[in-house]
Amino acid sequence: MEMLSTTHSPRPARRALRLALGVWLVLACAVSVRALLRPESHTVFPIFVAAADRYWADRPLYDKLPGLDYFRYPPTFVLVATPLSWFGTRVGGALWAWASCAVLVAGLWRFARRVLPEDLGEARTGALLALGALGALRGLWNGQSNALVVGLLLLGAAEVVRERWWRASFLLSAAVWIKLTPLAPALLLCALWPRRLAPRFACALVALPLVPFLTRPPSLVLAHYAGWLGHLTASSGERWPGFRDAWTIWEVARHTFAASEGPLILDTSFNSPVYRTLQLTTAGAVLLWCLHLRRRCADRRWQVNATLALGSAWLMLFGPASEHATYVFLAPALAWAVLDPQAGPPGALLARSAFVLVMVLGWGNVTRPLLGALPLLVATLPLGTGVFVVWLIGHAQAQRARQALPCPTRRVRAAVPLPERARSASTPPHSLAGRC
């Protein structure tokens, strides 16, 4: 810390951090005002309120809600939404926005301080927080749960780095039982630590869905879970026009090469065994790469960060229901790629290109006027994710070559980061980072 203060003035760095927190404060206030003034317009929070009312009235959760869409979350999510539903759609929506922002900011902070392999410093940490706000804006504005889920996922990853396995397990499982989307990154982390994390995560994954049985009769709770599984099965073959994944690239390419003069119309029916096979094949490749990194890299920060980044990228390309608001899962990794001090000029160009494709051109308001002449802009989100995957794999290889650490983790026990208490007493933070 003394070295940092002698080479860099702390005042600009702290000013950048305060500016980033100010950005989040403005964002939370804006979303709150929107919820107070227009509580029923372009937001899913009224669905949460209606689902909570149905749950406590012992009515089916997964029938079509009058004037609204279907409730698509697990029954456990109703218990999260219930306290907010007491305040109604206006005040409850504002509180929901503040809670989501608070959890995501805490997750981004812990991600920058505990998970990233290189110390960003206060200035870059502030920039990462601000870029995270940009990635979360769409979902927060619509009242979705992605910001809350990503915050819990990042907090759980930070606890994995600190070897607090039970806390990490419950944070990861809480994210999964709010929304199933983060299950893939959580399982990848369990595969890296099959003895320490996987059994605890399995216990937490079984324990949390039992909580609703403490609130309502068991037969009714079982009926809710059956309705949820039935809804998942019925909607598994549906595609919304707003989905942006690898299949979107295929649709755009097919339209382009067919020399179609009409507008691009995305298919809403989905039944492709080839694509299902590609999903499973790429998932296996991601798992093998993460296990390979685990054997070849002794730094737990690099292991967790790279696994979380590649798992999130796979989710965006091949996971279920990847739309613009879902790309908040990739926002922390993209922000790290842009701000990483170890990235060289070629890597920095790739990282910035991925960021622009996802975070700038991915906005429909930016690209919609140009879609008639450039239909490929529909696929900027998955294309940018593909560029990020190329950057991540190349960056990991460059770090390994730079640090020259070819030995497996089991033979270099001294290089494994110390537990948090021992490190704080004997080793400065981040002194063991970047060893792969």
Side-chain angles (χ1 to χ4, degrees):
M1 197 68 183
E2 294 179 359
M3 183 180 297
L4 180 63
S5 63
T6 57
T7 55
H8 302 281
S9 174
R11 290 186 177 180
R14 292 175 182 173
R15 191 179 300 117
L17 188 58
R18 292 170 183 169
L19 179 62
L21 295 177
V23 169
W24 273 101
L25 183 62
V26 171
L27 175 59
C29 291
V31 178
S32 301
V33 172
R34 181 211 178 281
L36 292 172
L37 297 180
R38 302 177 62 186
E40 309 289 340
S41 176
H42 294 90
T43 174
V44 298
F45 185 75
I47 298 176
F48 303 159
V49 174
D53 294 340
R54 280 180 169 243
Y55 179 82
W56 296 106
D58 296 336
R59 298 171 59 192
L61 283 176
Y62 299 97
D63 293 343
K64 182 68 178 293
L65 298 172
L68 299 170
D69 200 354
Y70 289 95
F71 178 68
R72 306 177 186 276
Y73 293 79
T76 48
F77 181 75
V78 177
L79 302 182
V80 177
T82 293
L84 298 172
S85 69
W86 297 338
F87 297 93
T89 55
R90 294 181 184 272
V91 178
L95 294 176
W96 171 248
W98 279 96
S100 299
C101 289
V103 174
L104 182 53
V105 169
L108 289 170
W109 177 263
R110 301 293 285 179
F111 173 74
R113 292 297 185 179
R114 300 295 183 187
V115 178
L116 291 185
E118 298 292 339
D119 185 7
L120 295 181
E122 289 186 348
R124 284 193 174 97
T125 300
L128 186 139
L129 291 175
L131 295 178
L134 177 63
L137 175 60
R138 181 73 175 267
L140 287 170
W141 198 255
N142 294 336
Q144 296 187 12
S145 63
N146 291 316
L148 176 65
V149 171
V150 172
L152 292 173
L153 181 64
L154 295 177
L155 290 172
E159 297 305 321
V160 170
V161 173
R162 302 173 70 186
E163 300 185 38
R164 296 184 176 181
W165 306 109
W166 278 113
R167 187 177 297 182
S169 299
F170 275 97
L171 286 168
L172 294 175
S173 61
V176 169
W177 281 114
I178 290 177
K179 193 172 186 177
L180 287 180
T181 306
L183 181 59
L187 291 178
L188 284 175
L189 291 174
C190 290
L192 267 60
W193 290 278
R195 295 182 180 180
R196 296 182 178 181
L197 182 61
R200 294 173 172 85
F201 178 71
C203 291
L205 208 60
V206 171
L208 288 183
L210 298 179
V211 176
F213 288 93
L214 303 176
T215 63
R216 307 308 298 159
S219 59
L220 291 175
V221 177
L222 288 174
H224 289 321
Y225 277 110
W228 174 58
L229 293 175
H231 178 76
L232 288 180
T233 304
S235 60
S236 60
E238 297 179 356
R239 282 187 62 85
W240 299 339
F243 283 2
R244 296 292 183 266
D245 50 17
W247 185 259
T248 307
I249 300 177
W250 161 247
E251 288 186 298
V252 172
R254 183 173 58 180
H255 177 273
T256 303
F257 289 122
S260 175
E261 296 180 358
L264 174 64
I265 300 177
L266 299 178
D267 191 5
T268 56
S269 61
F270 179 74
N271 185 16
S272 175
V274 175
Y275 187 69
R276 299 293 189 192
T277 303
L278 183 61
Q279 286 178 307
L280 294 176
T281 303
T282 52
V286 169
L287 175 61
L288 291 176
W289 188 83
C290 294
L291 292 175
H292 174 74
L293 183 69
R294 172 77 171 88
R295 291 192 298 268
R296 305 296 292 180
C297 177
D299 182 20
R300 182 171 283 113
R301 294 187 178 210
W302 247 106
Q303 297 163 3
V304 173
N305 182 49
T307 299
L308 200 62
L310 192 59
S312 299
W314 181 88
L315 269 179
M316 301 304 101
L317 290 174
F318 298 103
S322 296
E323 51 185 349
H324 185 281
T326 317
Y327 276 78
V328 64
F329 280 87
L330 195 61
L334 281 172
W336 162 63
V338 172
L339 299 170
D340 185 19
Q342 295 294 327
L349 179 61
L350 274 178
R352 291 167 185 167
S353 300
F355 184 87
V356 170
L357 286 170
V358 174
M359 294 297 176
V360 180
L361 297 180
W363 285 85
N365 294 334
V366 175
T367 58
R368 193 173 293 115
L370 305 175
L371 290 181
L374 295 172
L376 187 63
L377 291 176
V378 174
T380 52
L381 288 167
L383 287 174
T385 305
V387 173
F388 170 74
V389 171
V390 173
W391 174 86
L392 177 63
I393 295 175
H395 189 54
Q397 295 297 327
Q399 284 294 96
R400 278 186 52 205
R402 185 180 297 113
Q403 300 297 333
L405 185 64
C407 300
T409 305
R410 62 179 180 271
R411 297 183 182 178
V412 196
R413 296 185 180 275
V416 177
L418 298 173
E420 187 64 26
R421 295 179 180 177
R423 181 190 299 175
S424 62
S426 59
T427 309
H430 305 291
S431 63
L432 298 174
R435 296 195 174 188
C436 61

